[in-house]
Amino acid sequence: MIAAEDEEFCELMRKSQQGCEMSYRVLLQKASKQLEIYFSKKIFDSSMILDLVQETLISVHKSRHTFIQDAKFSPWFYAIAHNRYVDFIRKNKKLSFQFPNALDDSEYFSDEGAFDMEESLNHLSERERDILLLVKVEGLTIKETSSRVGLSEANIKVIVHRSIKKIRERLNGSKHEKD
Amino acid sequence: MEVSMRKTEDLINSLSDELRAVKPLETPLKRLFRWSLVGVASILVGIALFGIRENFELAIKDWMFWVHTFLMGIIAVSSAISAIIFSVPGRDRNFIIRWMPLFTLFAWIIAILSGVFSEGTHVAGLGFSCIRDIIVIGAVPGVALFVMILQGVVFKHLLAGVYGFLAVASLGALGTQFICASDSPLHLLVWHFLPVFLVGLIGAFVGNLLFKRS
């Protein structure tokens, strides 16, 4: 979410907190589109994506009082979306994930063209997994990720690099085992 | 897909229709300030109830008294702000927010243990009154803090529980510093630090029960 867009969401949310129905409707419509993009990078099944979008919209509705007016919208919004997603993963243990750009290597893909990333991601620490998903799935820049998680840009780069390396090593290991 | 899209539109319409104005949460710092006022008031009431320690004038000349007091104050404030911030989605990713209370708790045990190992004979004594003081001083700020946390939405319920309880217990221990006349490191370890630590652990279980995922 770029800065101007974030500011627009903030303004809509401020008005929504005051009870402006029109602003709220616009906010939810725009938010649902952002959520579709966010979840479609993580999950293949379109009906599951829409379920998650709807569940997240309900959470946003219930949590709207927790949006602090002088804060940015996207960390608040994506924290709720991420939480819904984590709940969803817990409920559905086996999920197919799209491959992050940096790992987009056909040799790791199964015949169906998809790879179950859950196991590989589970071997990363929570922080590594979150940062990798922010950079490679949500498509945030290093700078945006740095401000979102409160670490330096150099640190983010190192963590992303190490996480990709770990996944590669793991995938290579399992590939050799199969061979 | 078409049906689900329609359902999303329907959901947006129904959520918009039922929209009511809400009072946004105050910033965490404002809430921490209000909680601190309750905390200071509770300490003063505790001292008024149980009486100030008889060797107070002597104690304030000892720099270790101030080290312990300062560390307990920092644990209380950092734990409270962390617990409050955990009730605001998206604000809980800061490293300092997540781990500062544990670092300060660690600093406190180091300060106590350095006393245990450096000085001569130590007497832990009986300190049930210290536990009573910690509970009495922490009770009202505890309720206030948990009301504040419950006003928000907690995703990290275990940490929020640990830090909420840690804040309240360390505030109680801070007040007890001004009531309990013993500065023996062993006494501080057994009757001040351990109760605070155990209450923090209990907070992990209570947090799981209290702050269900929303």
Side-chain angles (χ1 to χ4, degrees):
Chain A
M1 201 180 281
I2 55 172
E5 216 174 359
D6 194 283
E7 186 46 49
E8 189 189 354
F9 270 106
C10 282
E11 190 54 38
L12 288 169
M13 183 48 105
R14 280 190 281 265
K15 286 180 180 166
S16 304
Q17 286 179 329
Q18 289 159 12
C20 176
E21 196 184 310
M22 185 65 85
S23 299
Y24 194 51
R25 198 178 297 271
V26 175
L27 181 133
L28 291 179
Q29 280 163 348
K30 283 176 177 278
S32 71
K33 288 192 175 66
Q34 293 281 346
L35 290 171
E36 274 174 40
I37 296 166
Y38 176 74
F39 290 128
S40 64
K41 286 175 181 166
K42 297 176 182 243
I43 300 163
F44 279 123
D45 190 323
S46 56
S47 65
M48 284 182 177
I49 292 169
L50 286 169
D51 283 348
L52 260 173
V53 168
Q54 287 164 16
E55 282 181 27
T56 310
L57 289 178
I58 292 169
S59 291
V60 165
H61 180 73
K62 285 181 183 168
S63 315
R64 66 190 189 281
H65 68 289
T66 64
F67 175 72
I68 294 173
Q69 297 207 336
D70 55 0
K72 282 189 171 180
F73 181 80
S74 58
W76 177 84
F77 177 64
Y78 285 114
I80 294 172
H82 178 73
N83 187 258
R84 287 269 68 95
Y85 173 65
V86 170
D87 275 353
F88 181 80
I89 288 177
R90 285 190 180 138
K91 283 178 201 158
N92 304 271
K93 290 282 178 191
K94 282 306 246 182
L95 274 178
S96 288
F97 290 81
Q98 270 187 338
F99 225 79
N101 301 339
L103 301 166
D104 197 359
D105 193 336
S106 58
E107 67 178 305
Y108 297 130
F109 277 70
S110 67
D111 293 342
E112 291 78 31
F115 183 79
D116 186 355
M117 280 285 286
E118 189 182 15
E119 201 188 321
S120 298
L121 287 171
N122 280 342
H123 282 82
L124 301 176
S125 69
E126 191 187 347
R127 188 175 70 163
E128 286 173 334
R129 193 167 53 241
D130 286 353
I131 289 173
L132 188 68
L133 289 173
L134 284 173
V135 175
K136 297 298 175 189
V137 177
E138 279 188 39
L140 262 64
T141 63
I142 297 292
K143 196 176 176 182
E144 286 168 338
T145 310
S146 159
S147 65
R148 173 102 57 104
V149 301
L151 291 174
S152 72
E153 290 180 32
N155 240 337
I156 300 289
K157 283 179 193 167
V158 170
I159 290 169
V160 170
H161 177 74
R162 279 189 193 151
S163 308
I164 291 171
K165 199 175 163 192
K166 276 186 193 174
I167 292 179
R168 278 226 169 94
E169 281 169 1
R170 187 160 178 80
L171 295 175
N172 282 333
S174 61
K175 190 168 175 282
H176 289 315
E177 276 172 25
K178 279 176 193 169
D179 292 344
Chain B
M1 181 83 175
E2 190 68 25
V3 175
S4 297
M5 292 291 275
R6 285 249 338 251
K7 277 185 186 168
T8 305
E9 265 309 305
D10 292 343
L11 177 70
I12 289 172
N13 287 333
S14 91
L15 293 178
S16 305
D17 289 342
E18 67 180 57
L19 180 73
R20 299 282 175 276
V22 286
K23 192 178 175 222
L25 282 183
E26 283 181 319
T27 63
L29 278 179
K30 274 187 189 170
R31 290 195 282 159
L32 175 72
F33 179 71
R34 281 200 287 123
W35 181 77
S36 301
L37 290 181
V38 175
V40 170
S42 183
I43 288 174
L44 293 176
V45 169
I47 292 171
L49 268 178
F50 303 119
I52 196 144
R53 57 191 290 175
E54 61 218 23
N55 57 351
F56 181 67
E57 281 182 20
L58 201 67
I60 57 172
K61 287 175 188 158
D62 180 4
W63 65 276
M64 273 311 282
F65 170 82
W66 291 111
V67 168
H68 289 299
T69 305
F70 175 75
L71 286 173
M72 277 181 263
I74 294 288
I75 295 168
V77 169
S78 62
S79 304
I81 189 74
S82 295
I84 290 169
I85 283 178
F86 279 129
S87 69
V88 183
R91 287 274 182 116
D92 56 8
R93 288 175 171 267
N94 188 299
F95 182 81
I96 294 173
I97 297 298
R98 278 197 177 192
W99 304 117
M100 176 79 167
L102 295 185
F103 288 143
T104 47
L105 192 69
F106 185 69
W108 188 29
I109 185 69
I110 293 292
I112 293 173
L113 288 179
S114 70
V116 171
F117 290 115
S118 67
E119 289 172 21
T121 339
H122 300 292
V123 184
L126 280 178
F128 291 110
S129 62
C130 298
I131 293 179
R132 176 206 63 196
D133 299 346
I134 290 172
I135 293 170
V136 170
I137 293 172
V140 174
V143 173
L145 184 60
F146 278 81
V147 167
M148 283 181 186
I149 298 170
L150 287 167
Q151 282 171 344
V153 177
V154 182
F155 292 149
K156 304 266 187 282
H157 43 302
L158 188 141
L159 274 180
V162 169
Y163 290 162
F165 272 67
L166 206 55
V168 168
S170 50
L171 183 90
L174 175 65
T176 306
Q177 274 281 95
F178 295 91
I179 299 167
C180 168
S182 176
D183 282 322
S184 161
L186 204 56
H187 175 86
L188 289 178
L189 178 68
V190 176
W191 298 105
H192 293 211
F193 177 84
L194 272 181
V196 170
F197 184 74
L198 290 175
V199 166
L201 287 183
I202 292 168
F205 297 104
V206 179
N208 270 328
L209 294 173
L210 206 60
F211 311 124
K212 285 179 185 163
R213 290 174 159 269
S214 55

